[in-house]
Amino acid sequence: MKKVDSGTYNMPVRYGPEMRILIVGGGISGLTLAGLLQQRGFRPTVAERAPEYGSMGYIIVLWPSGSRILKGLGLYQKLLDTGLPFSTYNVWNEKGEMLRSYSVETVTEKYGPMISIYRPELINILREAVDPETIRMNTTVEKIRQSRDEVFVTFSDGREEVYDLVVGCDGVRSKTRSMVFGHVPLTYSGMKGWSFWVKSNLHKTAHIAEYWGTGKFLGVWPTKGRLSVFTSIRCPEGMPEPIEGRVGRIEEHFKDFGGIVPDILAGLDDESQIYCDDYNDLRMDKWYKGRVVLSGDSAHAVLPTAGGGVSMAIESAAVLADELSRADSKYIAHALESYESRRRPRVIKIQDQSRMMGKVAFANSRILSYLRNYVMRFYSNKLHIKYWDSMLKDPI
Ligand SMILES: Cc1cc2nc3c(=O)[nH]c(=O)nc-3n(C[C@H](O)[C@H](O)[C@H](O)COP(=O)(O)OP(=O)(O)OC[C@H]3O[C@@H](n4cnc5c(N)ncnc54)[C@H](O)[C@@H]3O)c2cc1C
């Protein structure tokens, strides 16, 4: 540690292992950031609200731009062993007639596989990169106060600590964000979705199948030994959706769908295992304030319609780790500015694509869905490859 003898910063300059970093949220971005920082010799603390890592969760798809970061963490082979690569994506209309079948093989040849994985399994893989001693489970942050040079944190267990930097990785409804930035509204997409698991023998291939209706969507996403279903509808924001009666409501919304949808609905029983949420994204003017920075969904939640949220969270964590590894406690603002300017254009691009995908898959009138289904005839595999290439080629 070196004392600064000039300028306005009158604290010892800390970097590497000396820099006091708190990561709030030990989910996808928090664990990735903690693992990468620990690999570089830092000793961040992670505060995770959950009492333990559980087994509830949905399927996610990792793009190669996100999964390649697990190579540097020594976790990539585990990801390949646990997840399921896919290369075919089929789109059907609601009657169960195929609109188009796409192969992303050219893209995966160039960038690496698209991998579907059960979220708790991805969390378990990422945890292997993080010293368990540094994760405080069942812990949240109650208060954050900052001076120009330090952040003063009060934890839910009453503990008070001082940090050089606090990183909010606590998800789309981040409390870190609201404590530091005040109320920042999420943007509601007009869509709400349910996700659940069904018997894997309902769909025997490793292909993704999506059924596009009018203002309704049902996607079937396989991963190793499991089959995940997303059902979504257009509806007003905040429409109540109690657990009780959930199965009946899903059946009602999708009763006219064909293909394997009737078999899926017939197997639906345990309402408590159906996850439901509004589809929101988030755009903020600034991702940091003083010595508190946001990463992952807390800074830039993405609609699940293009399946990019996890990859964006992992990419952002990698860029933040990269910038912090060149920073110290005095020049932290410069690192945070660089992090944000490196990430913002790419994140906005993916958010825009996800909004556009939502409009297409959820065309909300009969005429629009008819036109969409007609136009799909001309949306060739070549165009589809071009779309994926544009999503994956950017430097992060
Ligand atoms: C139904 C659904 C399907 C999705 N499908 C996909 C997909 O196919 N592909 C994809 O890429 N993305 C998908 N996403 C989005 C993806 O899940 C998120 O983008 C991703 O998890 C963001 O990672 P994160 O680390 O920012 O937040 P999270 O993974 O949500 O992690 C936040 C962590 O913070 C903890 N936490 C919360 N509050 C506090 C607090 N106050 N104090 C301490 N800890 C706290 C939470 O317990 C959690 O562990 C989907 C999302 C949903 C809802």
Side-chain angles (χ1 to χ4, degrees):
M1 251 188 296
K2 185 169 162 282
K3 264 274 189 220
V4 194
D5 56 8
S6 63
T8 53
Y9 183 83
N10 292 311
M11 305 287 298
V13 174
R14 303 169 197 271
Y15 58 91
E18 305 287 346
M19 200 147 90
R20 301 164 302 177
I21 300 177
L22 172 67
I23 299 171
V24 186
I28 308 281
S29 58
L31 291 172
T32 306
L33 179 64
L36 289 168
L37 287 175
Q38 286 182 12
Q39 201 178 45
R40 289 162 158 119
F42 289 73
R43 286 199 300 265
T45 299
V46 180
E48 167 54 46
R49 182 180 59 187
E52 56 190 31
Y53 284 105
S55 58
M56 272 286 273
Y58 41 85
I59 192 175
I60 47 178
V61 172
L62 255 180
W63 299 354
S65 58
S67 62
R68 70 187 179 138
I69 288 152
L70 272 69
K71 293 180 185 171
L73 285 168
L75 302 172
Y76 191 68
Q77 190 55 48
K78 283 240 158 70
L79 176 71
L80 293 180
D81 294 343
T82 316
L84 184 73
F86 72 88
S87 57
T88 303
Y89 163 64
N90 297 326
V91 183
W92 312 72
N93 65 16
E94 65 186 57
K95 290 188 213 148
E97 297 158 349
M98 190 184 279
L99 295 174
R100 218 58 233 205
S101 177
Y102 296 106
S103 163
V104 287
E105 254 166 42
T106 323
V107 175
T108 57
E109 271 301 307
K110 186 169 169 188
Y111 297 103
M114 302 271 189
I115 299 170
S116 69
I117 186 165
Y118 175 44
R119 188 180 180 282
E121 284 175 344
L122 177 59
I123 289 282
N124 283 341
I125 292 173
L126 291 171
R127 279 170 64 197
E128 290 188 27
V130 183
D131 175 359
E133 302 273 298
T134 60
I135 307 180
R136 295 183 193 164
M137 301 302 292
N138 205 11
T139 305
T140 62
V141 167
E142 292 300 324
K143 213 161 128 193
I144 298 179
R145 183 174 66 79
Q146 47 178 329
S147 68
R148 192 196 50 200
D149 301 335
E150 291 176 310
V151 196
F152 304 89
V153 174
T154 308
F155 290 92
S156 47
D157 57 7
R159 213 180 320 199
E160 293 182 356
E161 288 173 4
V162 184
Y163 289 91
D164 298 304
L165 176 72
V166 172
V167 189
C169 292
D170 45 349
V172 63
R173 294 189 175 84
S174 166
K175 192 172 164 196
T176 309
R177 184 177 68 230
S178 57
M179 282 192 285
V180 175
F181 296 81
H183 176 65
V184 183
L186 300 173
T187 305
Y188 179 57
S189 62
M191 300 171 261
K192 176 191 276 303
W194 300 265
S195 57
F196 46 88
W197 298 92
V198 293
K199 288 199 183 86
S200 56
N201 60 5
L202 280 177
H203 182 64
K204 295 195 177 57
T205 66
H207 302 166
I208 287 171
E210 290 188 356
Y211 293 81
W212 292 2
T214 302
K216 294 175 188 179
F217 164 100
L218 189 145
V220 184
W221 295 74
T223 190
K224 223 171 244 173
R226 288 168 174 269
L227 189 61
S228 169
V229 176
F230 283 89
T231 55
S232 325
I233 56 162
R234 282 199 176 272
C235 66
E237 186 171 12
M239 190 180 84
E241 179 43 35
I243 293 180
E244 200 179 319
R246 216 165 244 187
V247 168
R249 285 190 297 278
I250 295 173
E251 282 170 349
E252 181 58 28
H253 286 304
F254 294 91
K255 65 176 191 289
D256 296 329
F257 275 49
I260 62 165
V261 177
D263 292 334
I264 287 173
L265 298 180
L268 200 54
D269 52 9
D270 188 352
E271 312 200 303
S272 66
Q273 298 296 311
I274 303 175
Y275 171 87
C276 179
D277 206 352
D278 289 347
Y279 288 176
N280 295 301
D281 65 12
L282 170 72
R283 295 202 177 175
M284 294 182 72
D285 294 338
K286 208 85 195 122
W287 294 350
Y288 69 94
K289 196 170 195 178
R291 294 174 171 271
V292 180
V293 63
L294 304 174
S295 199
D297 273 11
S298 68
H300 52 63
V302 181
L303 294 180
T305 44
V310 164
S311 300
M312 289 309 104
I314 294 181
E315 289 179 21
S316 287
V319 172
L320 183 55
D322 189 30
E323 290 297 335
L324 291 177
S325 67
R326 297 172 211 159
D328 61 40
S329 56
K330 181 178 176 187
Y331 295 107
I332 239 166
H334 177 54
L336 303 185
E337 184 60 45
S338 300
Y339 151 70
E340 188 176 322
S341 57
R342 281 174 65 183
R343 289 300 295 151
R344 187 179 281 280
R346 173 153 169 80
V347 165
I348 288 179
K349 175 175 162 177
I350 303 303
Q351 286 182 322
D352 285 346
Q353 290 287 4
S354 305
R355 286 182 179 186
M356 195 270 292
M357 274 301 291
K359 288 199 176 105
V360 173
F362 290 77
N364 60 354
S365 72
R366 283 251 161 243
I367 184 86
L368 280 179
S369 59
Y370 174 82
L371 281 174
R372 174 202 59 203
N373 295 354
Y374 181 74
V375 169
M376 285 295 286
R377 295 183 197 181
F378 308 102
Y379 190 74
S380 62
N381 206 54
K382 208 166 159 193
L383 287 173
H384 189 66
I385 295 291
K386 219 168 149 190
Y387 162 83
W388 273 110
D389 199 49
S390 80
M391 304 279 261
L392 298 174
K393 70 176 184 202
D394 298 330
I396 65 156

